[in-house]
Amino acid sequence: MHSNLLKLGWNDKFHQSLDSSDFPQAIPARIIREDRGQYTIHTGDNTAPAQLSGSFMNAAQSQLDYPTVGDWVLLQPMESNNGFLVTGMLDRNSLFMRQSAGKTSDDQLLAANIDYLFIISGLDLDFNPRRIQRYLSLVYNSGAQPVIILNKSDLVDDQDQILEQLSSQIPDAPIHAISALYQHGIEGLEQYLIPGTTIALSGSSGAGKSSLINALLDEQRLKTQANREDDNRGRHTTTWRELIMLENGTCIIDLPGMRELQLTGDEAGVSKTFADIKSISQQCRFRNCRHEGEPGCAVQEALETGELSLERYSQFTKLSQENAIARKRGKKKVVQKKRVSNKYAEKESFFKDVSIQFRKNNKAKRKYNLDGY
Ligand code: GDP
Ligand code: ZN
């Protein structure tokens, strides 16, 4: 059933979600591209433009209810052109998001239904373990599994030393050193290229995401641009988010370079990134210990003995505080329901119910599973 969708990452779970709906005959498709609210979908046979139906937008309560790249949606063909109306969305396995830059505290959805999130850093001036920890906190909240990739290994002599140092700071995530340009170490990534799997690539602009996709595609599908020598940053080659299919049925989502990566207020990700500190603090005498000189504080003791480095502890404090601020801002936010014109209301009567049903399901089940995917 829907076997043409398998190469897009369709699986039993999505199938069941569709089947158990009241409208199992709706056309499922995956969002493969989003550029400022313009969607492109893939039905397994074709790609086509798509726009959100009026009732879909009316039912949306927050940013989380809008589709993003990687989402599975339900479609209704539009008569006027070759496009589609998006009338429903299936439950997500995972969702990668950040808080948008600037003063507003809206979450920005970056990619959905991803299995692995590759965090790519160049082993040049781009290399920054603290930024990797920040990424990691967001990835742990997404439900996807993080894979850290250190690219441009051809530029360094002490690759093993860097790897060793980083893995002491990031004990729980796999780390790979590669050279996308010279195709070194790519074979170490093959374990993630499983048919039906979706991988999102994130990292600063210039880290080598396009080069890695090229290496994986083994063809010049994305144009890479020469590094500007002065500031060590590559030019932006991607401003949209796009899902690309490899021959073997692995989907790759390319996220544009992100300058700013703000935490969303979800504490679990920071806790998991700094699991060692969490576990040390279990030994503090007081359960509400703030580790600021209270008697019997295990964290202070670990800092004194050197078991815990001051640098790691201060990064933990910094990200925890930032997260707490994000959380407070998020709570204050009043969710405004979008008002939209009901231009398509008539055409949609049949699909309206299914759309609302999916919204409800989504809300009820909006707990991203950290184990399954
Ligand atoms: P993106 O912005 O993350 O997509 O980065 P690109 O793939 O466009 O790469 C930015 C620049 O880094 C380009 O000039 C690439 O040729 C260069 N680059 C990418 N991978 C490597 C690598 O493994 N080694 C070296 N030395 N340069 C690389
Ligand atoms: Zn303490």
Side-chain angles (χ1 to χ4, degrees), residues 120 122-124 150-155 178-184 202-214 222-228 232-238 254-257:
I120 302 171
L123 281 174
D124 46 14
L150 306 178
N151 186 32
K152 311 193 187 184
S153 63
D154 54 289
L155 296 180
I178 64 157
S179 169
L181 195 62
Y182 296 103
Q183 309 223 353
H184 291 158
S202 66
S204 331
S205 171
K209 295 182 295 296
S210 317
S211 304
L212 176 58
I213 294 175
N214 285 337
L222 295 180
K223 242 192 284 164
T224 54
Q225 293 177 356
N227 252 349
R228 276 180 281 155
N232 195 263
R233 283 178 194 278
R235 301 257 177 86
H236 272 281
T237 51
T238 42
D254 185 24
L255 301 171

Side-chain angles (χ1 to χ4, degrees), residues 148-174:
I148 293 160
I149 296 178
L150 306 178
N151 186 32
K152 311 193 187 184
S153 63
D154 54 289
L155 296 180
V156 295
D157 299 325
D158 52 349
Q159 175 187 317
D160 292 343
Q161 212 183 329
I162 296 172
L163 271 177
E164 206 174 299
Q165 223 172 23
L166 191 65
S167 48
S168 72
Q169 293 176 43
I170 299 177
D172 295 327

